[in-house]
């Protein structure tokens, strides 16, 4: 009951803000003192002229994490209007009303029905109403108040940034700050000690320590050595309640990495080293490697090597490999076993960067001895000079000596040398070398204008071991002689106007010369005496050019269209060379500005083009003629190889019409011209002529033609109306008996006049000579004189 009385009394304090400080204080406006029995005493009338009710509610308090079975009592609402007769009904609204907080409508008691967590919500704002139960009207103004959740120590400290990784230099002084760890506690830092933390180190001693209040991790020993142990794992704990018993705790790990300092000098694992080097090794070749050991790392382990002294100081040099920190001993000059077989070097290794704090411990360098033994090898021949320069005149005769090369065997055996020229460098075989002496001579005439410098490779081979060869380059420069006359620089296209003034420059000439004299080119120009021209003159400008000028008299196209000037050009060599060059000058009609309008110089060109076209046409004609002959020859040969076929077999477009109409017999001579039938092939007429003959003879000459006209007309009408008939012409031949036999017709039409006439009798003995195919005809139509009678076969034409 005392607790309830205290909470009820506390609920009538007002929260007042102190001016200027922002702090909140509770001010009592207790108008009516509550007793445990529920009674109340009114305030003295002398203090107030008007009676005020105590319907002012500020805040209630409730503990979080309450785990009881019954609802937790929070406080009580009460109005002076409430006489205890049940006419006043209390209503609670706002945050958590009905869901978290419940109120007894009759008594105004407030209870928490659920477990509260201050870390989720620290306070709830609610509104209280007092209403008349019958009318539901407010009997008191609505009052707002706060239910504040009081904190309990239910959250352990947490390191939100853990685990940590930190770096500190090795050999740092004691107390050097490494890292600051920070833990947070979700409990209320303004209430009690639930959020007051204290740090301690659980693992990592005695090397490190932590400040209890700030969480700063510091070094605890002065000689942390990275080369002994390069990292440490720490466990730091944070405990609330200022570390008291019953407080909650959390921990995190801190990995401390020791960074390197240059506290260790380099040293060689051995005091002396020995290497073998072949005497044939090339210059700039790495012949040995040594390495000093430095326990440090990074820039603190970077080394610098140098040769202090020794007999190989000028033969070898040493550099540092930036990746492996090795000392690379490089050959600086060629070795010769026969001259010197071993070298001695004293090499020092030192740090590039030195920490002055540790110089007192000793020098940061070390020295070792390196011995290099030269191995003898069978070396190839060596030329006295790897590149030789020689000169020869282009007028030198074949066999002229150009120069010589010299090679030797560097070994003690001193093997004899054989010389030769690499064929790839002497494809044209301009030079020859003596295999024994190395003397180079010309093998062909030289021409400086073709090749000015010859680059040949001379090969020296040991006679005792041909696999050992040496090479040298020989550059042979061909010197110039005056063997080319000068000539005009270009083909000049020169013209002169009909109205040109005397002394006018028509053309300026320049010359070229393939030769290159040492003192330079100097050309002399003149006109040939044999070709002196009365219209032009030449002036030598003395600067390797000449000008063509006009003479008085003028020019006319109709008099002379083209002028030819023979120009003589001479060089200044001894003896000089000269050449005569013909300059063509065309006479043109020009305008006032001197521009040509008509030169008529196209006529010769057109003639030349026409001539070239005619030649081309003739060549093409010959080619086409040859092709025609070849095609015809091939066709004839192919035709000879083809089998003989009947005309009817070749012409697949013929229409053969057969009918059974019987003619008038031998006496019917009106429908057909029997002469045409008998001598069809012998007349030499074409098929077209034969068709016209039939047409003409088939015209009605007598009444007997009615047998054939309807038939022919019917066939013609069918051919004209037939839509499926082929589009080609069709030749239909009727009533032809056929011919081609030298015995003429075999019918009895020739014996119409007289059976016994000797003129009409036919001699068929010739059929026996035609071969087996005509043997049957010969038997049928041959003459038999056995009974004194002549047997003749008579046939009728159908």
């Amino acid at each position: 009951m005392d607790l309830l009385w205290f909470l009820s009394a506390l609920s009538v304090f007002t929260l007042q803000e102190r001016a200027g400080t922002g702090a909140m204080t509770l001010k009592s406006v207790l108008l009516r003192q509550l007793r445990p029995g529920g009674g109340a005493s009114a305030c003295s009338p002398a203090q107030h002229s008007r009676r005020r009710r105590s319907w002012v509610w500020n805040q209630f308090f409730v503990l979080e994490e309450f785990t009881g079975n019954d609802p937790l009592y929070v406080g009580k609402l009460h109005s002076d209007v409430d006489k205890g007769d049940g006419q006043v009904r209390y209503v609670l609204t706002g945050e958590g009303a009905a869901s978290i907080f419940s109120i007894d409508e009759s008594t105004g008691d407030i209870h928490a029905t659920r477990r509260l967590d201050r870390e989720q919500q620290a306070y709830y704002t609610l509104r209280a109403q007092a209403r008349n139960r019958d009318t539901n009207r407010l009997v008191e103004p609505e009052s707002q108040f706060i239910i504040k959740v009081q904190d309990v120590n239910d959250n352990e400290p947490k390191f939100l940034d853990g685990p940590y990784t930190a770096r500190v230099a090795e050999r740092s002084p004691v107390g050097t700050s490494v890292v600051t760890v920070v833990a947070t506690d979700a409990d209320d830092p303004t209430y009690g000690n639930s959020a007051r933390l204290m740090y301690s180190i659980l693992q990592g001693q005695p090397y490190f320590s932590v400040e209890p209040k700030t969480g700063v991790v510091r070094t605890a020993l002065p000689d942390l050595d990275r080369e002994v142990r390069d990292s440490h794992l720490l466990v730091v704990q944070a405990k609330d309640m200022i570390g008291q018993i019953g407080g909650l705790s959390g921990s995190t790990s801190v990995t401390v990495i020791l960074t390197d300092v240059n506290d260790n000098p380099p040293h060689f694992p051995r005091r002396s080293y020995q290497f073998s080097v072949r005497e044939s090794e090339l210059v700039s070749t790495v012949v040995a490697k040594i390495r000093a050991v430095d326990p440090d790392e990074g820039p603190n382990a970077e080394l610098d090597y140098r040769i202090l002294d020794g007999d190989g100081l000028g033969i070898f040099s040493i550099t540092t490999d930036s990746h492996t920190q090795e000392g690379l001993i490089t050959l600086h000059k060629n070795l010769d076993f026969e001259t010197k077989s071993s070298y001695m070097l004293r090499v020092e290794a030192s740090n590039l960067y030195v920490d002055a704090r540790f110089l007192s411990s000793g020098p940061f360098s070390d020295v070792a001895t390196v011995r290099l033994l030269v191995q003898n090898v069978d070396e190839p021949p060596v030329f006295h000079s790897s590149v030789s320069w020689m000169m020869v005149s282009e007028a030198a005769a074949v066999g002229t000596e150009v120069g010589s090369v010299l090679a030797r065997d560097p070994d003690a055996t001193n093997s004899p040398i054989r010389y030769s020229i690499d064929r790839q460098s002497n494809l044209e075989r301009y030079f020859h070398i003596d295999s024994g002496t190395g003397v180079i001579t010309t093998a062909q005439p030289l021409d400086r204008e073709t090749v000015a410098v010859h680059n040949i490779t001379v090969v020296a081979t040991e006679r005792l071991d041909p696999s050992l060869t040496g090479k040298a380059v020989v550059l042979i420069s061909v010197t110039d002689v005056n063997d080319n006359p000068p000539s005009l620089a270009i083909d000049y296209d020169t013209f002169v106007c009909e109205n040109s003034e005397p002394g006018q420059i028509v053309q300026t000439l320049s010359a070229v010369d393939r030769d290159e004299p040492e003192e330079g080119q100097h050309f002399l120009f003149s006109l040939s005496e044999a070709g002196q021209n009365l219209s032009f003159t030449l002036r030598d400008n003395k600067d390797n050019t000449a000008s063509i000028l006009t003479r008085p008299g003028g020019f006319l196209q109709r008099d002379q269209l083209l002028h030819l000037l023979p120009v003589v050009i001479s060089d200044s060599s001894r003896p000089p060379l000269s050449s005569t060059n013909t300059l063509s000058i065309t006479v043109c009609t020009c305008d006032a500005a001197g521009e040509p309008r008509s030169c008529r110089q196209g006529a010769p060109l057109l003639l030349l083009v026409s001539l070239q076209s005619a030649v081309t046409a003739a060549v093409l004609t010959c080619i086409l003629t040859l092709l025609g002959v070849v095609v015809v020859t091939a066709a004839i040969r192919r035709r000879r190889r083809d089998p003989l076929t009947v005309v009817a077999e070749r012409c697949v477009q013929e229409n053969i019409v057969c009918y059974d109409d019987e003619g008038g017999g031998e006496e019917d001579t009106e429908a057909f011209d029997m002469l045409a039938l008998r001598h069809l092939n012998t007349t030499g007429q074409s098929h077209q002529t034969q068709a016209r003959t039939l047409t003409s003879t088939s015209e009605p000459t007598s009444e007997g033609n009615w047998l054939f006209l309807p038939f022919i007309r019917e066939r013609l009408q069918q051919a004209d109306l037939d839509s499926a008939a082929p589009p080609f012409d069709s030749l239909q031949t009727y009533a032809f008996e056929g011919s081609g036999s030298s015995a003429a017709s075999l019918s009895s039409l020739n014996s119409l006049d007289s059976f016994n006439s000797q003129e009409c009798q036919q001699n068929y003995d010739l059929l026996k000579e035609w071969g087996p195919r005509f043997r049957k005809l010969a038997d049928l139509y041959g003459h038999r004189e056995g009974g004194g009678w002549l047997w003749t076969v008579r046939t009728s034409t159908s």
Side-chain angles (χ1 to χ4, degrees), residues 554-572:
F555 304 90
L556 291 175
Q557 284 187 349
R558 64 174 179 269
D559 294 341
Q560 186 173 355
L561 175 64
L562 186 66
H563 294 265
L564 301 179
L565 266 70
V567 179
V568 179
I569 307 175
S570 303
D571 57 23
S572 58

Side-chain angles (χ1 to χ4, degrees), residues 7 28 62 66 264 267 354 380 405 521 574 669 679 703 759:
L7 293 176
S28 175
V62 61
F66 179 74
N264 295 280
H267 70 278
V354 178
V405 294
Q521 297 285 4
R574 295 289 182 271
T669 60
H679 304 285
E703 297 180 358
E759 296 177 359

Side-chain angles (χ1 to χ4, degrees), residues 86 109 413 428 464 516 591 641 745 794:
D109 293 333
T413 56
E428 302 296 333
L464 300 180
E516 293 183 0
D591 54 15
R641 291 194 300 267
S745 178
R794 300 175 62 88

